[in-house]
Each structure stands twice: as C-alpha cells, then as structure tokens.
Amino acid sequence: MKRSLKSISMLISLGTVLSKTGGLARQVLIAGVFGVGAAYDAFNYAYILPGFFLILIGGINGPLHNAVVTVLSRRSQKEGEYIMGSINTSIIFVFILISGFLFLGADSIIQLVGPGLDNSTHLIAVKQLKIMSPITLFAGLIGIGFGSLNARDKFFIPSISPIISSLALIIGVSIFWAYKNLQVNSNYIEMLGGIILAQATLIGAIIQWVIQIPLLKKEKLFKFKFIFDWRNSGVKEVWKIILPATFASGMLQVNVFTDLFFASNILGAAAGLSYANFLVQAPLGLVSNALLLPLLPTFAKLTLDENQKDLIMRIRQGFIFSSASMICLGAIFIALSKTITETIFGRGVFNNEAIQLVSGLLVCYGIGMPAYLIRDLLVRVFYAFSDGDTPFKISTIGIALNAFLDWFLIGGPTPWGDQLTINLGANGLVLATVGVNILTCSILLLKLKAKITLLPLKEWLVDLSKLFLCGLFSGLVASKINSLPLLSYNNSWQLIQLLVSIFMSLLLFCILSNLLGIKEVSEMVRIFKSKLNFLYSK
C-alpha cells in the first residue's frame, strides 16, 4: 500500500530529527575537545574527497540516489533487480580504483588542496586521508541502497543512517578525550586525535551500509551479480543522470574545495568553516530531507504534458516552502549568530576567538540559505526530466566564478603578495559561494521557465520578495529581544532569552507572511503541528 506524501514527510522528519540531534552532539563534543586546532583543521582537508563521495554519492538527495529513485520508480521489481545488479557491478569496480588512488596519492592530494598548511597539520591530514580512502567504495554502495529503498517507499532507515556516523565519532572522540588528559606531548596528541577522527568516520560509513542489508534483502534488491550491461535502457538512464548530476550537485563540494584551498593560509579557517556550515546544514538538511525527498518521485511521475498543471503546483509548493523556511531561519542565524555559536560550542577549548570566527561565518551562511535550498529543488526538477546537462553546464560556470570570487574577496593572493586591498578573510570565502548560488538559482529558474512555459515565474518572485520582507522584520525583532538586559547573566537566563528570541521571530514571520497572502506558510505551520502530534503520539 502506497504511503501518502504527508506520512512519508512525517517519517522522514522523525528520522532526520534523530540524525540531526546526533550530529549536534557530535559537533559539540568535537568543538570542546579539538576547537579550531590542528587535528580538526587537518581533518577538514583530509575529508574533502571522501566526504565528497559520501555526501554526494552516498547521501540522501545525492545524484546516485536521485538517479536510482527516478529510474526504479518507473520499473517493475524484476526489471529493477536487473538494473541494480548492473549498477552495483559498475560502482564497485570504479570506486575500488578511486579508493586506491586516494590511498596512494594522499600526500600529493593534501599538498594540492591545502598548500598553505604547516608541516605538522599536513602530516596529520595525509594520515587521515589514507585511513578514510575506503569510504569512497562504501559511499557508492550506500547511495545505491538508499535510492533502491526510497523507490520502494522505504524512507526511515535512509533518514536515520547519518546518526550511525555521529555515534561512531562520539564514541571515538570520547575515548580520545579521556586518554588526552593523561598525555603531555602536544604533537603526539594532535596526531592521535586526527587518527581517531579518521578511523571513527570510516567505521561510521561501513555501518551505514551494513544496516541497509536486511531491508534490501527483504525487498529482493541485495544481489551481488556481476553484470556488465550498458545497453539496457534503465542502466543507460541511470548513468545519463549520474555523470552530469554528480558534477552539478557537487558544485557546493567543489566550491568547498576551492574555499579550503584559499583558507589554508588563514589560521583555523577550515575548522571554523566546518562548525558554521554544520549549524546551517542542520536545519537545512531537515527541510531538504522532509520536503525534497518525497517530492522527487512525484516530479518524475508528473513530467508528462497532461500532468503539467499538477507539476507546476508541486514545484511552487517546493519553491515557497524552501524559500519561506530558509529566509525565516536565515534571519534568525544572522540576528543571533554570536549567541547561537556561544550557546552551542562555547565550552572546553572553544575560546572567544573561535566564537568570533564562527559567528561571523554564520552570518554569511545565513544570507545564502534560501538560494542553496532553492537551487537544490530546481536541480531535482531537471533530474525528473532526465536532464542533467543543464545543471551541469550552469555549475561549470559557477565553479569557475566561485574560484575567482574566493581569490578576489581575500585580497587576491599571489606568490608576490596580495594584489588587492579588499580582504574579508574567511567570511569572503563564504560570501563567494553565496553569490554563485544566487546566480545559479536565477539561471535555473529562467531555464525552467523555457522548459515549462506556463510557469508563473513573476508571481513566484513577487511572493519571494514578500517573504524577504517578512524575514527582515522578524530578524530585527529577534535581535532586539536578544539585546535586552537580563536579570541575571547566567547560562540558564541566556538560553531562555535565546529561545524567546527565536520563538518570537518565528511567530512574527508566520503572522506577517499570512497577512501578505502567502498561503503556503499557513500550510507549513499546519504540517509542523501535525508532525509534532505525530511524534508525540509515537
């Protein structure tokens, strides 16, 4: 029996909330133990390529996942088994080669992605990359499994799987923390901490794949048969989407690479970028998984001409939901950046300097939240049309532009010194990515309008402007409430003030958007209430 979109969304939200809670606990622990020190700074460089594959290829809403969902949603179970056998064979072969390349070329890769790292940080990163190199193989297997399960309306296991990685890291870092206090050799401790971070990440990836196996067997999708059949129409369609879509969806990850390349000369910038990005990705991922994941099969089934009105309605629903949620949350992050950073990370070795760094980055990320999620939505609409070429071409331009903006906004560094007077530091790296995502969204909307001529783009942009106005006022109110003097300056009162500021900002945003006639926001509130009731009843 097919689940409704509402029940699917609720199930995904429950799993995602659990995963995000685990992720928060992980990052709080890492911040307290490592701060913005060498071990975690190095980890962010070593994790670039394994993370690229784990997030994009193995992650929910990644190109492999989306391609498998799109193709299997239209096929019978028997045909799906054959297609998955062929895709599994190809993925295993390709990703074993990539894993070997990462292991053997670890030193050169770290030198390429972090040319400004000092020697000790470089050595830690090389060791970490060698340990994590097998993650690429498991990423491919995870992505295939998630896509197969989602195509059979199995959403809960994929949505909770990230908590496995978080638990593995929490256990590993906790053991290191206990051992750390017994040692005095700082260089040895940094190296050991880096090794444990890498080992725990690898173990987490392996377990993410292992927990899929029972359900895959039940759905008769876990069959390792070596099938090389590139002529099958379903196999062709999967690869037709995967290859360009990997590059297109990987635009942000490639931009992360360029950000870290230029950040390697900025002390603690890589770690700071990671902490700030986590704070943004937590709510962004929650909305993305709850909204975009169930909409993808719907898009794929509505691409025929006779379903165009229903497709436009679904796209608008996704567009307004994405815009409203991210503008509202972005306003909160911008208005309360320092308080949020201090409340979540401000303990252990995470000092005032780290708080200032991360809170500034959080403001920049908050500005770009709407563009990031809208872009994800639009890319998935193109996937539903089996069109990965358009996002691919636009992303190619975006990557080149991001690299230039990174260089420009941190002073134009060259071997002969900085060539420009403007230097925004790590903040400039984030703003460069934000600018590229805004441009990408604009082009994708125009391209979609050309593909779907009845798309009421002007009407949507008017509503988007109204939402930005709501975000401006709700953010100002949050900032004002948070700046009021407290009766007592202890942690409890500060937390209460932060929560009140967030609540009043959310309330005002909903009230204003309703007054301005954005009916989808009322629907979002209704869905949110129903999800709370659903979770409470469980």
Side-chain angles (χ1 to χ4, degrees), residues 260-315:
L260 290 176
F261 177 87
F262 288 106
S264 61
N265 288 308
I266 305 173
L267 185 63
L273 287 166
S274 177
Y275 291 124
N277 187 55
F278 169 79
L279 291 176
V280 171
Q281 290 294 330
L284 199 153
L286 178 62
V287 175
S288 176
N289 288 345
L291 174 65
L292 301 187
L293 193 60
L295 279 178
L296 179 63
T298 304
F299 290 153
K301 294 170 183 176
L302 294 176
T303 51
L304 298 177
D305 290 340
E306 60 265 26
N307 297 322
Q308 192 169 92
K309 288 185 179 180
D310 289 336
L311 177 61
I312 291 173
M313 182 188 71
R314 286 296 191 181
I315 296 173

Side-chain angles (χ1 to χ4, degrees), residues 218-259:
K218 184 179 178 181
E219 296 295 320
K220 298 181 180 179
L221 292 170
F222 187 76
K223 292 183 178 180
F224 277 103
K225 293 182 179 179
F226 288 95
I227 304 171
F228 287 96
D229 184 358
W230 295 85
R231 297 182 179 181
N232 180 277
S233 61
V235 174
K236 285 182 178 180
E237 187 174 357
V238 170
W239 284 109
K240 183 181 178 182
I241 297 173
I242 288 175
L243 294 177
T246 297
F247 193 87
S249 290
M251 186 184 79
L252 180 63
Q253 294 300 312
V254 175
N255 287 340
V256 167
F257 159 72
T258 57
D259 289 348

Side-chain angles (χ1 to χ4, degrees), residues 310-323:
D310 289 336
L311 177 61
I312 291 173
M313 182 188 71
R314 286 296 191 181
I315 296 173
R316 175 187 165 84
Q317 184 184 42
F319 181 83
I320 298 298
F321 276 23
S322 300
S323 303

Side-chain angles (χ1 to χ4, degrees), residues 97-108:
L97 293 178
I98 294 175
S99 295
F101 171 76
L102 294 183
F103 182 86
L104 296 175
D107 185 74
S108 298

Side-chain angles (χ1 to χ4, degrees), residues 13-28:
S13 295
L14 174 60
T16 306
V17 166
L18 293 174
S19 294
K20 295 303 178 183
T21 301
L24 176 61
R26 177 199 70 216
Q27 287 303 112
V28 168

Side-chain angles (χ1 to χ4, degrees), residues 177-436:
W177 194 1
Y179 181 79
K180 177 182 178 181
N181 296 327
L182 304 176
Q183 300 295 318
V184 294
N185 188 326
S186 60
N187 290 332
Y188 172 74
I189 281 297
E190 292 287 0
M191 176 61 80
L192 179 62
I195 290 173
I196 288 177
L197 280 172
Q199 290 174 337
T201 303
L202 173 60
I203 292 170
I206 294 172
I207 299 175
Q208 279 191 66
W209 174 62
V210 170
I211 65 170
Q212 297 179 8
I213 295 176
L215 197 53
L216 287 170
K217 284 184 175 179
K218 184 179 178 181
E219 296 295 320
K220 298 181 180 179
L221 292 170
F222 187 76
K223 292 183 178 180
F224 277 103
K225 293 182 179 179
F226 288 95
I227 304 171
F228 287 96
D229 184 358
W230 295 85
R231 297 182 179 181
N232 180 277
S233 61
V235 174
K236 285 182 178 180
E237 187 174 357
V238 170
W239 284 109
K240 183 181 178 182
I241 297 173
I242 288 175
L243 294 177
T246 297
F247 193 87
S249 290
M251 186 184 79
L252 180 63
Q253 294 300 312
V254 175
N255 287 340
V256 167
F257 159 72
T258 57
D259 289 348
L260 290 176
F261 177 87
F262 288 106
S264 61
N265 288 308
I266 305 173
L267 185 63
L273 287 166
S274 177
Y275 291 124
N277 187 55
F278 169 79
L279 291 176
V280 171
Q281 290 294 330
L284 199 153
L286 178 62
V287 175
S288 176
N289 288 345
L291 174 65
L292 301 187
L293 193 60
L295 279 178
L296 179 63
T298 304
F299 290 153
K301 294 170 183 176
L302 294 176
T303 51
L304 298 177
D305 290 340
E306 60 265 26
N307 297 322
Q308 192 169 92
K309 288 185 179 180
D310 289 336
L311 177 61
I312 291 173
M313 182 188 71
R314 286 296 191 181
I315 296 173
R316 175 187 165 84
Q317 184 184 42
F319 181 83
I320 298 298
F321 276 23
S322 300
S323 303
S325 59
M326 291 300 103
I327 290 172
C328 181
L329 292 173
I332 291 172
F333 280 132
I334 294 169
L336 307 174
S337 59
K338 185 175 181 181
T339 306
I340 291 172
T341 304
E342 188 174 7
T343 301
I344 295 176
F345 294 134
R347 56 189 56 82
V349 300
F350 203 90
N351 54 26
N352 288 331
E353 185 178 347
I355 291 172
Q356 292 293 333
L357 172 64
V358 174
S359 62
L361 292 169
L362 189 57
V363 171
C364 300
Y365 275 119
I367 295 171
M369 287 178 72
Y372 179 87
L373 193 58
I374 292 171
R375 176 195 168 276
D376 256 13
L377 172 73
L378 296 174
V379 167
R380 278 149 183 78
V381 174
F382 280 92
Y383 292 166
F385 283 97
S386 296
D387 179 7
D389 291 336
T390 298
F392 173 84
K393 293 173 182 177
I394 295 171
S395 296
T396 303
I397 299 171
I399 288 171
L401 180 60
N402 184 74
F404 170 76
L405 290 176
D406 276 346
W407 177 83
F408 182 83
L409 293 176
I410 63 167
T414 68
W416 307 278
D418 290 353
Q419 302 300 306
L420 303 171
T421 55
I422 182 174
N423 190 339
L424 301 181
N427 291 344
L429 301 176
V430 178
L431 290 174
T433 302
V434 169
V436 169

Side-chain angles (χ1 to χ4, degrees), residues 4-17 156 159 290 294 526-535:
S4 67
L5 183 63
K6 178 181 175 181
S7 65
I8 290 172
S9 180
M10 288 179 176
L11 197 61
I12 294 169
S13 295
L14 174 60
T16 306
V17 166
F156 186 66
S159 65
R526 188 191 63 78
I527 291 174
F528 178 71
K529 287 180 179 178
S530 64
K531 287 180 179 179
L532 286 180
N533 292 333
F534 172 79
L535 294 176

